Amino acid sequence: MTLNVLNKVNEPKDLRELSNEELNTLASEIREVLIKKVTTTGGHFGPNLGMVEATIAMHYVFNSPIDKIVYDVSHQSYIHKMLTGRKNAFINPEEYKSITGYTSQHESPHDFFTIGHTSTSVSLACGLAKARDVKGGNENIIAVIGDGSLSGGEAYEGLNNAVESGNNIIVVVNDNDMSIAPNYGGLYQNLKELRETEGKAENNFFKALGFEYHFVKDGHNIQDLIETFKKVKDADHPVLVHMYTVKGKGHEEAEKDKEPFHYIMPFDPKTNKPRAMNTNETYASAASKFLLEKAKKDKKIVAITAATPAPLGFIPFREELKDQYVDVGIAEEHAVAFASAMASQGAKPVAAFFSTFLQRSYDQLSHDLAINNNPAVILVYGGGITGADVTHHGLFDIPLISNIPNIVYLAPTNKEEYLAMLDWGIEQDKHPVVIRVPNTAVVSTGVKVEADFSNLNKFVKVKEGSKVAIIGLGSFYGLGEKVYNKVKEELGIDATLINPRFISGIDEELLNELSENHDLVITLEDGLLDGGFGEKISRFYGAKDMKVLNFGATKEFTNSVPLKELYERYHLTEELIVEDIKNALK
Amino acid sequence: MTLNVLNKVNEPKDLRELSNEELNTLASEIREVLIKKVTTTGGHFGPNLGMVEATIAMHYVFNSPIDKIVYDVSHQSYIHKMLTGRKNAFINPEEYKSITGYTSQHESPHDFFTIGHTSTSVSLACGLAKARDVKGGNENIIAVIGDGSLSGGEAYEGLNNAVESGNNIIVVVNDNDMSIAPNYGGLYQNLKELRETEGKAENNFFKALGFEYHFVKDGHNIQDLIETFKKVKDADHPVLVHMYTVKGKGHEEAEKDKEPFHYIMPFDPKTNKPRAMNTNETYASAASKFLLEKAKKDKKIVAITAATPAPLGFIPFREELKDQYVDVGIAEEHAVAFASAMASQGAKPVAAFFSTFLQRSYDQLSHDLAINNNPAVILVYGGGITGADVTHHGLFDIPLISNIPNIVYLAPTNKEEYLAMLDWGIEQDKHPVVIRVPNTAVVSTGVKVEADFSNLNKFVKVKEGSKVAIIGLGSFYGLGEKVYNKVKEELGIDATLINPRFISGIDEELLNELSENHDLVITLEDGLLDGGFGEKISRFYGAKDMKVLNFGATKEFTNSVPLKELYERYHLTEELIVEDIKNALK
C-alpha cells in the first residue's frame, strides 16, 4: 500500500494544505486502509466506506476540535479517527486494537461523547450549542446523522428542538437509503423524493421542521461537499445538509449487498468469504425457524423487529411471510406499543430486540404494554455479561423488565425449554411475556419440553439435595451445574439444583421448603446484581435463618474487558463460587 | 340545567338521529355539564372544552366501537365518555367518582387502552390496524393526537410507521397551539403556518411524511367536521386530519389563560377562584427560587423542563431568565441528552421531571448521560407511593435510576438537605447527580445544611442505639422517626436511626458496624421494593448474622387506591412495622 497523501495528514489542518487531486487520492488511500483493516478485525464496513469523502470535506472546512462534530451512533467515525491523530490504529496491524469502534472523549479531544446507540446526535449537538451560547463562544456545532438513525424518536425530538436554538447548529444527514436493514417509514420515502429531485421536491421533512436546507447530490464529490460546508459554516441559525452517499462505496460486494456488509466479521476481501464461518444453529435461528413454521399455520402471528432482522435470524421469515412481518426501523418505542395494541385484539405479535436497544422502550413496556396487560411476546437477545463495548452491554434488562408489574419474564436454559416458552407465550392470552434468550451457544437436550408456564413463578428442583441450594437462572444454569458438581466433589455435599425459569417472581413455597434442610442458598444470574433476580431471594430470606449469596455482575460500566477477566472479577467461576460457599458455611 | 338533547343520547348511534341544530345544542349542553363537573372535582379542563364538537362529529361519523378511536394521553376523552354510555358520571354529582380520568378498557367497550402518558396513540392505532388486517376486518382505526403530544419521539415513530401500513389509519391532529405549556419546536411553527394558510402552506410536515392531508379550519364547527370525517372514512390508506381548535373553548378565562386551566383543582366558576388554595411553600417552589437566585449570579446554570414548568415551580425562572431556561416540550429523551451534552462543556444544566414521565428517558439516562459521566443535575418530582391513577405512579424511579452505574441518586429528607444537595450537585463536576425530591409537604429544620456529598454512599447515623437499626430513605425518613419512637415506647429499645441520603449505593462500613450490636435492620422506602434500595441491604447481609426487613410497595399496578389503604396493605404505618419488628425479633 502506498499512502503518499495519508502520510502527510496527522491532524485536520493538514488537509487544507492538499490540492484537490491530493484530496481525491487521500480518499482512495483511506478506503484501501479501511478495507484491509475492517476485513481483518471485523467492524462497521459499509457505513464507513460511505463516509470517506464527507469526513474529509468536513475536516477540511471545520476547525475541529474547536468546531465540534458529533457522530450519531459513531459507528461511522472510523475516517474521523484516521484524520484526527489515530491513523496508525488503522494502518498498522499491531495497533488495530488500540482504539475502540466508536467515538470516545477518553481517546481524543476531537471526540466529545462515548456513543453506540442511535438517534442521539442532534440532542447532544443542541446541548453543545447551548453550552457554547451561555459561555459566549462562537464555534460551529455539527451533528452527523443518517444510516437509519432518523427513524428513532430521540432524533426527531432533537430536530424539533434544534430549530428553536436560535443559533448555529449544523445537521448533516448522511442519506444512504439504508438503515442496518432497508429503511422503513414515511420519512425515507421523502428522502427518496428529495434525492430524485435533487432536493427540490415540494414535500421536504426538514424544511417543514424549519431548517434551512441544502442538498448535495453526490456525497462522494469532495469539492462539492467542501463548497456546501463552506456555505453553511458559521451560520447563525440551524441549517441542515442532506447529502446522498452510497453505503459500502468502493467495495463492489458491499455496494450491492448492503445489509450483510453493514457490520462484518473478519472476511477475505479477495473471495468475500468469512475468515471463520459459524454455520451452527443459534438460539435466534432456532426460534425464528420455529416461529416461521407456526406462523404459516396461523395468520395471526406477526413477527416484529427493529432494524436488526439479520442477526436475530428473521431474514427467512421476512422473505416467506411478508404480510406477517414488520421491521419498524430503529424505533423500539413504536415496536412495543404496536405489539401491545395488536395483542389486545387477539393477534399474536412476537417482537425481538437486543437487550441493549430495548432500553429505549422502558416506558412502552410499562405504560403501553404492562399496564394494559396485553399478551404480546417480546424476545430479548444478547442479555448477559459480555466483553462488549461500554455502549452495548446486555447487563440491565433484568432490573429493567423484571420489576414491572404484570410482565412474566422467563429465562430458558436450553433450546427445547426456549421453544416451549415461546409457544406458550404465543398461545396464552393472560400476560405480556418476555423471554430472555440465553446468550450462549445452543444447549439442546433433544427432548421436547411440554411445560405449561401458566402456574407463574414455579421453580423446578432439578436435583433434590440438602445444605446448599443452587439457583441457576437462564444462561447461568450451566454454571449452576458446574457448581453443583464441584460442591459434591470438594465439599461432599449433595446440593439442591434449581432452574427457576421465571425472572419476574419467586417461588415462595419452594423457598420455604428449602429452609427445612438447607443452610445456604446461592443465586447465579447473567446480569447486574443490583435490582436483579438474586436480591429478591435475599429479601425473601431477610428475617429468616437462611444464608444467601448472590452472584452476578457488579454495578459498573466496563469497556471491552475480556469476559474471562469479568468472570474472575465477579466470582463467576465454579472455583471461586465454591470458595465463597465454603466461607459462608463456616 | 336543561339537557334536552343530551338526555336523548345514550350511545353514539343516537347522534345520527339529531338535526344540525340539535347537534349544536348538544355541544352547549355538554360544555355546561363539563364546566360544572370539572370545576367541582378538578381535572383536565381546557383540553376537554376544546374537544366537544370534534368528539361529537367523530362519533356521528364513525361507528364506535367497531371503528376504534384511540385518544392520546386520553385526558381529552371526557366527551367521548359522555357519548358512550357514561354521561351520568358527568351529570350526576353522586356518580362523579364512578369513572376514571382516562380511557379504560375495563370501563367501556368503546375504550381500548388505559392511557395516561403522551405520544402513544399513533403506535397503538398502528397495532389495532395490523391486527385488523391479519384478522381480515375492515373497520376504521382513528388516533386522536394533539395538545402537545406531537413533540414526543414515540408519536413521530408512530407517524413514520403509520404511512407504511398500506391500509386504513386515520390520524386526527387536534391542534390547539398549546401543550400543557406553550408549544416548543419546529413542528409547532409548521402547524402555525398551516393554520394561517388554511392548510395550504408549502411546507407540510404531515405530507412530507407521506400522509394524505386534510385541514379543518374551525374545529368547533360540527358540520364541517362531519363533512371531513365522512370524506376520510373507509379510506384504504393512511390519512391525516388537521383541525384547529381552541383550548378552553367556551370558558372565557380558560381560553385566555390556557396554561393554568390545562389541569385544574376544584374552583368556583363564578369567581374563578380555587375552592381551596394552597399558598404554602412546596419543595418545587423552594428549589426553583433557590435556583433562580443562583442562576442570576451564574450564567452557566440552565434550567430545563419538559412541558411542566408550572407544577414544578419554574414559571418565575422562565420569566426572569429567558436565556437560561429551556422548556423542550414533551420530549424527555431529548431533555436528558441535551443536559448531558451541556454538562460535558462546563455548563450547569438542572433538568426537572415528574418520576412517571422520566420513565421515557431510561436509555438517555444510561447511554447519553451515565456512560459519559457528565455532571448534569436531574430533579425527580412525584416519586413515591401515591393514590394516583395507574398511569401516573411514581413507584418505579428507584429501580430505574439507582441501578445505573455512575449516577449518584440522592434522597433528601427535608428542605435544607434538598437545597444543599442541589447546590452540591450543580457545583461538582464528577458525577451525574439525580435528586429524588420528597413527595410530601415541606419539612424544614430552619438550619442550613453545609454537607459535602462527594464522599459517596456515606449514611448518617442520626441516633445511635442498639438491637434495631432503622434506615429511613428520603420521604420515608419521617416514618423512620415514628417507628423509632414507637420501638422505644413499645419495646423499650433505643434503636439506631439512619438517614442514608444516597439511594444508589450502600455504606458498607456503617452496615458492618451495625453487626456489632444489632440483630435487625429495617429499611423504609417510598417506592417499589423490587429492584429498590432495601434489597441492596438484604443482599449485603445475605450471608451474615443480621436479620433484615424491607418495607416499601409490593410489585403491582394500583388504580386510584387511597394512600391510607396502600399504607395498610404494604405495612407502612408505625403500628404495623413495629408488629413486624416484634415478630422478627422473636
Side-chain angles (χ1 to χ4, degrees), chain A residues 114 123 135 150 153-154 156-157 160 164 185 187 334 345 364 368 372 402 504 555, chain B residues 114 123 135 150 153-154 157 160 164 185 187 334 345 364 368 372 402 504 555:
Chain A
T114 300
S123 293
K135 288 164 66 189
L150 285 169
E154 190 179 355
Y156 162 74
E157 292 184 3
N160 191 39
E164 295 255 10
L187 170 64
H334 170 76
Q345 299 298 309
Q364 289 70 36
D368 299 339
N372 286 282
S402 72
S504 45
K555 189 171 76 165
Chain B
T114 300
S123 293
K135 287 163 68 189
L150 284 170
E154 191 180 355
E157 292 184 4
N160 191 38
E164 295 256 11
L187 171 64
H334 170 76
Q345 299 299 308
Q364 289 69 37
D368 299 338
N372 287 282
S402 72
S504 45
K555 188 171 78 167

mmCIF file of all heavy atoms in Angstrom, chain A residues 114 123 135 150 153-154 156-157 160 164 185 187 334 345 364 368 372 402 504 555, chain B residues 114 123 135 150 153-154 157 160 164 185 187 334 345 364 368 372 402 504 555:
data_model
loop_
_atom_site.group_PDB
_atom_site.id
_atom_site.type_symbol
_atom_site.label_atom_id
_atom_site.label_comp_id
_atom_site.label_asym_id
_atom_site.label_seq_id
_atom_site.Cartn_x
_atom_site.Cartn_y
_atom_site.Cartn_z
ATOM 1 N N THR A 114 -18.974 9.236 24.289
ATOM 2 C CA THR A 114 -18.976 7.806 24.029
ATOM 3 C C THR A 114 -20.397 7.477 23.579
ATOM 4 O O THR A 114 -21.356 7.706 24.320
ATOM 5 C CB THR A 114 -18.627 7.026 25.302
ATOM 6 O OG1 THR A 114 -17.329 7.444 25.725
ATOM 7 C CG2 THR A 114 -18.641 5.529 25.051
ATOM 8 N N SER A 123 -29.688 15.836 19.643
ATOM 9 C CA SER A 123 -29.893 16.320 21.015
ATOM 10 C C SER A 123 -28.567 16.673 21.671
ATOM 11 O O SER A 123 -28.458 17.688 22.372
ATOM 12 C CB SER A 123 -30.602 15.242 21.854
ATOM 13 O OG SER A 123 -31.919 15.042 21.394
ATOM 14 N N LYS A 135 -21.805 30.205 27.499
ATOM 15 C CA LYS A 135 -20.408 30.519 27.802
ATOM 16 C C LYS A 135 -19.858 31.626 26.892
ATOM 17 O O LYS A 135 -18.747 32.108 27.095
ATOM 18 C CB LYS A 135 -19.547 29.261 27.663
ATOM 19 C CG LYS A 135 -19.772 28.244 28.789
ATOM 20 C CD LYS A 135 -19.229 26.862 28.434
ATOM 21 C CE LYS A 135 -17.730 26.848 28.306
ATOM 22 N NZ LYS A 135 -17.242 25.557 27.753
ATOM 23 N N LEU A 150 -32.441 8.246 11.660
ATOM 24 C CA LEU A 150 -33.516 9.242 11.672
ATOM 25 C C LEU A 150 -34.881 8.669 12.028
ATOM 26 O O LEU A 150 -35.827 9.417 12.251
ATOM 27 C CB LEU A 150 -33.605 9.941 10.306
ATOM 28 C CG LEU A 150 -32.516 10.977 10.020
ATOM 29 C CD1 LEU A 150 -32.561 11.387 8.562
ATOM 30 C CD2 LEU A 150 -32.683 12.199 10.913
ATOM 31 N N GLY A 153 -37.142 8.034 17.704
ATOM 32 C CA GLY A 153 -37.851 9.176 18.262
ATOM 33 C C GLY A 153 -36.942 10.249 18.830
ATOM 34 O O GLY A 153 -37.240 11.443 18.726
ATOM 35 N N GLU A 154 -35.837 9.849 19.423
ATOM 36 C CA GLU A 154 -34.947 10.843 20.019
ATOM 37 C C GLU A 154 -34.392 11.774 18.944
ATOM 38 O O GLU A 154 -34.175 12.957 19.189
ATOM 39 C CB GLU A 154 -33.812 10.148 20.784
ATOM 40 C CG GLU A 154 -32.981 11.091 21.643
ATOM 41 C CD GLU A 154 -31.867 10.372 22.407
ATOM 42 O OE1 GLU A 154 -31.793 9.127 22.352
ATOM 43 O OE2 GLU A 154 -31.057 11.061 23.064
ATOM 44 N N TYR A 156 -35.916 12.752 16.232
ATOM 45 C CA TYR A 156 -36.975 13.712 15.925
ATOM 46 C C TYR A 156 -37.096 14.767 17.027
ATOM 47 O O TYR A 156 -37.205 15.969 16.755
ATOM 48 C CB TYR A 156 -38.295 12.985 15.729
ATOM 49 C CG TYR A 156 -39.489 13.886 15.848
ATOM 50 C CD1 TYR A 156 -39.807 14.779 14.836
ATOM 51 C CD2 TYR A 156 -40.272 13.872 16.994
ATOM 52 C CE1 TYR A 156 -40.883 15.642 14.954
ATOM 53 C CE2 TYR A 156 -41.348 14.728 17.128
ATOM 54 C CZ TYR A 156 -41.658 15.609 16.114
ATOM 55 O OH TYR A 156 -42.710 16.461 16.243
ATOM 56 N N GLU A 157 -37.075 14.322 18.280
ATOM 57 C CA GLU A 157 -37.143 15.291 19.383
ATOM 58 C C GLU A 157 -35.991 16.287 19.269
ATOM 59 O O GLU A 157 -36.158 17.492 19.507
ATOM 60 C CB GLU A 157 -37.095 14.574 20.735
ATOM 61 C CG GLU A 157 -38.345 13.744 21.034
ATOM 62 C CD GLU A 157 -38.331 13.119 22.435
ATOM 63 O OE1 GLU A 157 -37.381 13.367 23.205
ATOM 64 O OE2 GLU A 157 -39.277 12.377 22.758
ATOM 65 N N ASN A 160 -36.625 18.684 16.244
ATOM 66 C CA ASN A 160 -37.720 19.588 16.578
ATOM 67 C C ASN A 160 -37.251 20.695 17.523
ATOM 68 O O ASN A 160 -37.695 21.832 17.439
ATOM 69 C CB ASN A 160 -38.853 18.766 17.214
ATOM 70 C CG ASN A 160 -40.146 19.547 17.354
ATOM 71 O OD1 ASN A 160 -40.506 20.317 16.474
ATOM 72 N ND2 ASN A 160 -40.840 19.331 18.458
ATOM 73 N N GLU A 164 -35.254 25.537 17.280
ATOM 74 C CA GLU A 164 -35.595 26.625 18.206
ATOM 75 C C GLU A 164 -34.361 27.210 18.883
ATOM 76 O O GLU A 164 -34.470 28.117 19.698
ATOM 77 C CB GLU A 164 -36.560 26.116 19.287
ATOM 78 C CG GLU A 164 -37.905 25.689 18.756
ATOM 79 C CD GLU A 164 -39.004 26.702 19.056
ATOM 80 O OE1 GLU A 164 -38.691 27.818 19.503
ATOM 81 O OE2 GLU A 164 -40.172 26.357 18.846
ATOM 82 N N GLY A 185 -40.547 3.507 6.609
ATOM 83 C CA GLY A 185 -41.175 4.683 7.181
ATOM 84 C C GLY A 185 -41.311 5.814 6.186
ATOM 85 O O GLY A 185 -40.580 5.903 5.196
ATOM 86 N N LEU A 187 -40.632 8.952 6.333
ATOM 87 C CA LEU A 187 -39.507 9.859 6.138
ATOM 88 C C LEU A 187 -38.603 9.363 5.023
ATOM 89 O O LEU A 187 -38.082 10.155 4.228
ATOM 90 C CB LEU A 187 -38.712 9.975 7.444
ATOM 91 C CG LEU A 187 -37.383 10.713 7.285
ATOM 92 C CD1 LEU A 187 -37.601 12.162 6.870
ATOM 93 C CD2 LEU A 187 -36.583 10.643 8.563
ATOM 94 N N HIS A 334 -41.969 2.562 19.309
ATOM 95 C CA HIS A 334 -43.118 2.213 18.475
ATOM 96 C C HIS A 334 -43.355 0.708 18.479
ATOM 97 O O HIS A 334 -44.504 0.254 18.587
ATOM 98 C CB HIS A 334 -42.876 2.698 17.048
ATOM 99 C CG HIS A 334 -43.881 2.177 16.063
ATOM 100 N ND1 HIS A 334 -45.158 2.686 15.976
ATOM 101 C CD2 HIS A 334 -43.812 1.173 15.160
ATOM 102 C CE1 HIS A 334 -45.824 2.024 15.049
ATOM 103 N NE2 HIS A 334 -45.031 1.100 14.534
ATOM 104 N N GLN A 345 -56.108 -7.208 20.466
ATOM 105 C CA GLN A 345 -57.171 -7.600 19.546
ATOM 106 C C GLN A 345 -57.081 -9.065 19.141
ATOM 107 O O GLN A 345 -57.662 -9.468 18.131
ATOM 108 C CB GLN A 345 -57.110 -6.729 18.292
ATOM 109 C CG GLN A 345 -57.313 -5.257 18.572
ATOM 110 C CD GLN A 345 -58.674 -4.966 19.168
ATOM 111 O OE1 GLN A 345 -59.695 -5.391 18.638
ATOM 112 N NE2 GLN A 345 -58.702 -4.277 20.306
ATOM 113 N N GLN A 364 -42.631 2.185 27.273
ATOM 114 C CA GLN A 364 -43.604 1.461 26.449
ATOM 115 C C GLN A 364 -43.869 0.077 27.038
ATOM 116 O O GLN A 364 -45.009 -0.406 27.026
ATOM 117 C CB GLN A 364 -43.111 1.370 25.005
ATOM 118 C CG GLN A 364 -43.143 2.709 24.267
ATOM 119 C CD GLN A 364 -42.105 3.699 24.774
ATOM 120 O OE1 GLN A 364 -40.987 3.325 25.147
ATOM 121 N NE2 GLN A 364 -42.452 4.972 24.798
ATOM 122 N N ASP A 368 -47.446 1.198 27.931
ATOM 123 C CA ASP A 368 -48.248 0.761 26.786
ATOM 124 C C ASP A 368 -48.551 -0.737 26.844
ATOM 125 O O ASP A 368 -49.592 -1.173 26.363
ATOM 126 C CB ASP A 368 -47.520 1.083 25.464
ATOM 127 C CG ASP A 368 -47.279 2.585 25.279
ATOM 128 O OD1 ASP A 368 -47.988 3.375 25.912
ATOM 129 O OD2 ASP A 368 -46.381 2.952 24.521
ATOM 130 N N ASN A 372 -51.604 -2.331 30.447
ATOM 131 C CA ASN A 372 -52.731 -2.855 29.667
ATOM 132 C C ASN A 372 -52.771 -4.373 29.656
ATOM 133 O O ASN A 372 -53.732 -4.963 29.170
ATOM 134 C CB ASN A 372 -52.688 -2.277 28.247
ATOM 135 C CG ASN A 372 -53.112 -0.817 28.240
ATOM 136 O OD1 ASN A 372 -54.299 -0.524 28.309
ATOM 137 N ND2 ASN A 372 -52.155 0.091 28.209
ATOM 138 N N SER A 402 -37.843 -6.983 34.858
ATOM 139 C CA SER A 402 -38.440 -7.906 35.837
ATOM 140 C C SER A 402 -39.160 -7.175 36.957
ATOM 141 O O SER A 402 -39.935 -7.789 37.684
ATOM 142 C CB SER A 402 -37.374 -8.837 36.416
ATOM 143 O OG SER A 402 -36.520 -8.122 37.279
ATOM 144 N N SER A 504 -39.268 -12.911 36.932
ATOM 145 C CA SER A 504 -40.104 -11.830 37.450
ATOM 146 C C SER A 504 -40.838 -12.149 38.734
ATOM 147 O O SER A 504 -41.645 -11.346 39.204
ATOM 148 C CB SER A 504 -41.113 -11.408 36.371
ATOM 149 O OG SER A 504 -41.690 -12.541 35.767
ATOM 150 N N LYS A 555 -22.195 -3.424 39.822
ATOM 151 C CA LYS A 555 -22.672 -2.238 39.117
ATOM 152 C C LYS A 555 -21.505 -1.380 38.649
ATOM 153 O O LYS A 555 -20.898 -0.656 39.439
ATOM 154 C CB LYS A 555 -23.593 -1.432 40.040
ATOM 155 C CG LYS A 555 -24.299 -0.291 39.314
ATOM 156 C CD LYS A 555 -25.370 0.377 40.156
ATOM 157 C CE LYS A 555 -24.797 1.287 41.206
ATOM 158 N NZ LYS A 555 -25.805 2.189 41.787
ATOM 159 N N THR B 114 -55.788 1.608 28.540
ATOM 160 C CA THR B 114 -55.572 2.502 29.663
ATOM 161 C C THR B 114 -54.350 3.344 29.295
ATOM 162 O O THR B 114 -53.278 2.791 29.054
ATOM 163 C CB THR B 114 -55.298 1.691 30.940
ATOM 164 O OG1 THR B 114 -56.440 0.870 31.183
ATOM 165 C CG2 THR B 114 -55.050 2.605 32.130
ATOM 166 N N SER B 123 -48.905 4.817 17.468
ATOM 167 C CA SER B 123 -48.351 3.463 17.505
ATOM 168 C C SER B 123 -49.422 2.447 17.897
ATOM 169 O O SER B 123 -49.498 1.354 17.331
ATOM 170 C CB SER B 123 -47.194 3.383 18.509
ATOM 171 O OG SER B 123 -46.104 4.151 18.057
ATOM 172 N N LYS B 135 -56.489 -10.266 10.716
ATOM 173 C CA LYS B 135 -57.733 -10.963 11.042
ATOM 174 C C LYS B 135 -58.786 -10.811 9.936
ATOM 175 O O LYS B 135 -59.844 -11.445 9.988
ATOM 176 C CB LYS B 135 -58.311 -10.435 12.370
ATOM 177 C CG LYS B 135 -57.533 -10.900 13.604
ATOM 178 C CD LYS B 135 -57.844 -10.055 14.825
ATOM 179 C CE LYS B 135 -59.256 -10.238 15.324
ATOM 180 N NZ LYS B 135 -59.594 -9.241 16.374
ATOM 181 N N LEU B 150 -47.468 15.792 20.044
ATOM 182 C CA LEU B 150 -46.690 15.545 18.827
ATOM 183 C C LEU B 150 -45.199 15.796 18.995
ATOM 184 O O LEU B 150 -44.416 15.454 18.119
ATOM 185 C CB LEU B 150 -47.218 16.425 17.683
ATOM 186 C CG LEU B 150 -48.535 15.947 17.053
ATOM 187 C CD1 LEU B 150 -49.076 17.016 16.122
ATOM 188 C CD2 LEU B 150 -48.340 14.646 16.282
ATOM 189 N N GLY B 153 -41.089 11.669 20.946
ATOM 190 C CA GLY B 153 -40.491 10.804 19.936
ATOM 191 C C GLY B 153 -41.356 9.631 19.527
ATOM 192 O O GLY B 153 -41.370 9.230 18.363
ATOM 193 N N GLU B 154 -42.080 9.067 20.472
ATOM 194 C CA GLU B 154 -42.910 7.907 20.144
ATOM 195 C C GLU B 154 -43.985 8.292 19.119
ATOM 196 O O GLU B 154 -44.351 7.491 18.266
ATOM 197 C CB GLU B 154 -43.545 7.339 21.416
ATOM 198 C CG GLU B 154 -44.216 5.985 21.208
ATOM 199 C CD GLU B 154 -44.838 5.420 22.487
ATOM 200 O OE1 GLU B 154 -44.672 6.039 23.564
ATOM 201 O OE2 GLU B 154 -45.486 4.362 22.420
ATOM 202 N N GLU B 157 -42.275 8.253 15.767
ATOM 203 C CA GLU B 157 -42.041 6.868 15.328
ATOM 204 C C GLU B 157 -43.346 6.258 14.812
ATOM 205 O O GLU B 157 -43.365 5.535 13.816
ATOM 206 C CB GLU B 157 -41.472 6.018 16.477
ATOM 207 C CG GLU B 157 -40.059 6.412 16.884
ATOM 208 C CD GLU B 157 -39.468 5.491 17.963
ATOM 209 O OE1 GLU B 157 -40.123 4.495 18.352
ATOM 210 O OE2 GLU B 157 -38.340 5.762 18.423
ATOM 211 N N ASN B 160 -44.292 7.891 11.381
ATOM 212 C CA ASN B 160 -43.363 7.418 10.363
ATOM 213 C C ASN B 160 -43.708 5.992 9.927
ATOM 214 O O ASN B 160 -43.571 5.631 8.765
ATOM 215 C CB ASN B 160 -41.940 7.487 10.934
ATOM 216 C CG ASN B 160 -40.869 7.282 9.883
ATOM 217 O OD1 ASN B 160 -41.001 7.739 8.758
ATOM 218 N ND2 ASN B 160 -39.806 6.586 10.253
ATOM 219 N N GLU B 164 -46.653 3.537 6.334
ATOM 220 C CA GLU B 164 -46.251 2.312 5.637
ATOM 221 C C GLU B 164 -47.278 1.197 5.813
ATOM 222 O O GLU B 164 -47.100 0.102 5.293
ATOM 223 C CB GLU B 164 -44.903 1.816 6.172
ATOM 224 C CG GLU B 164 -43.749 2.746 5.888
ATOM 225 C CD GLU B 164 -42.849 2.252 4.750
ATOM 226 O OE1 GLU B 164 -43.231 1.297 4.045
ATOM 227 O OE2 GLU B 164 -41.765 2.825 4.599
ATOM 228 N N GLY B 185 -40.779 24.026 19.470
ATOM 229 C CA GLY B 185 -40.232 23.120 18.463
ATOM 230 C C GLY B 185 -40.679 23.486 17.068
ATOM 231 O O GLY B 185 -41.707 24.136 16.852
ATOM 232 N N LEU B 187 -41.920 21.763 14.649
ATOM 233 C CA LEU B 187 -43.200 21.277 14.176
ATOM 234 C C LEU B 187 -44.311 22.271 14.479
ATOM 235 O O LEU B 187 -45.223 22.471 13.679
ATOM 236 C CB LEU B 187 -43.520 19.924 14.839
ATOM 237 C CG LEU B 187 -44.939 19.438 14.588
ATOM 238 C CD1 LEU B 187 -45.160 19.171 13.104
ATOM 239 C CD2 LEU B 187 -45.229 18.192 15.390
ATOM 240 N N HIS B 334 -34.958 13.837 24.629
ATOM 241 C CA HIS B 334 -34.110 14.954 24.222
ATOM 242 C C HIS B 334 -33.565 15.705 25.438
ATOM 243 O O HIS B 334 -32.387 16.054 25.485
ATOM 244 C CB HIS B 334 -34.918 15.913 23.340
ATOM 245 C CG HIS B 334 -34.220 17.203 23.079
ATOM 246 N ND1 HIS B 334 -33.184 17.317 22.182
ATOM 247 C CD2 HIS B 334 -34.375 18.435 23.628
ATOM 248 C CE1 HIS B 334 -32.743 18.562 22.172
ATOM 249 N NE2 HIS B 334 -33.447 19.270 23.041
ATOM 250 N N GLN B 345 -19.528 20.337 28.697
ATOM 251 C CA GLN B 345 -18.777 21.531 28.328
ATOM 252 C C GLN B 345 -18.696 22.549 29.462
ATOM 253 O O GLN B 345 -18.417 23.725 29.229
ATOM 254 C CB GLN B 345 -19.432 22.190 27.104
ATOM 255 C CG GLN B 345 -19.465 21.319 25.874
ATOM 256 C CD GLN B 345 -18.064 20.945 25.410
ATOM 257 O OE1 GLN B 345 -17.208 21.800 25.228
ATOM 258 N NE2 GLN B 345 -17.815 19.650 25.260
ATOM 259 N N GLN B 364 -31.588 7.303 27.761
ATOM 260 C CA GLN B 364 -30.812 8.535 27.733
ATOM 261 C C GLN B 364 -30.078 8.731 29.060
ATOM 262 O O GLN B 364 -28.941 9.196 29.070
ATOM 263 C CB GLN B 364 -31.725 9.728 27.427
ATOM 264 C CG GLN B 364 -32.231 9.750 25.978
ATOM 265 C CD GLN B 364 -33.223 8.634 25.670
ATOM 266 O OE1 GLN B 364 -34.048 8.273 26.509
ATOM 267 N NE2 GLN B 364 -33.156 8.068 24.471
ATOM 268 N N ASP B 368 -26.735 8.203 27.241
ATOM 269 C CA ASP B 368 -26.300 9.558 26.912
ATOM 270 C C ASP B 368 -25.682 10.268 28.119
ATOM 271 O O ASP B 368 -24.811 11.104 27.960
ATOM 272 C CB ASP B 368 -27.473 10.395 26.365
ATOM 273 C CG ASP B 368 -28.069 9.796 25.084
ATOM 274 O OD1 ASP B 368 -27.368 9.034 24.408
ATOM 275 O OD2 ASP B 368 -29.244 10.078 24.778
ATOM 276 N N ASN B 372 -21.318 8.552 29.825
ATOM 277 C CA ASN B 372 -20.442 9.695 29.598
ATOM 278 C C ASN B 372 -20.085 10.425 30.887
ATOM 279 O O ASN B 372 -19.243 11.312 30.888
ATOM 280 C CB ASN B 372 -21.073 10.642 28.576
ATOM 281 C CG ASN B 372 -21.003 10.060 27.175
ATOM 282 O OD1 ASN B 372 -19.957 10.099 26.549
ATOM 283 N ND2 ASN B 372 -22.096 9.474 26.703
ATOM 284 N N SER B 402 -31.486 4.009 40.155
ATOM 285 C CA SER B 402 -30.415 3.711 41.119
ATOM 286 C C SER B 402 -29.534 2.555 40.675
ATOM 287 O O SER B 402 -28.455 2.369 41.207
ATOM 288 C CB SER B 402 -31.009 3.421 42.502
ATOM 289 O OG SER B 402 -31.644 2.172 42.506
ATOM 290 N N SER B 504 -28.243 5.258 45.575
ATOM 291 C CA SER B 504 -27.528 4.487 44.561
ATOM 292 C C SER B 504 -26.358 3.671 45.089
ATOM 293 O O SER B 504 -25.639 3.048 44.301
ATOM 294 C CB SER B 504 -27.046 5.429 43.454
ATOM 295 O OG SER B 504 -26.463 6.592 44.008
ATOM 296 N N LYS B 555 -44.931 -5.214 44.267
ATOM 297 C CA LYS B 555 -44.978 -5.057 42.808
ATOM 298 C C LYS B 555 -46.396 -5.299 42.291
ATOM 299 O O LYS B 555 -46.836 -6.440 42.163
ATOM 300 C CB LYS B 555 -43.990 -6.027 42.163
ATOM 301 C CG LYS B 555 -43.829 -5.790 40.666
ATOM 302 C CD LYS B 555 -42.702 -6.597 40.047
ATOM 303 C CE LYS B 555 -43.089 -8.028 39.827
ATOM 304 N NZ LYS B 555 -42.129 -8.743 38.956
#
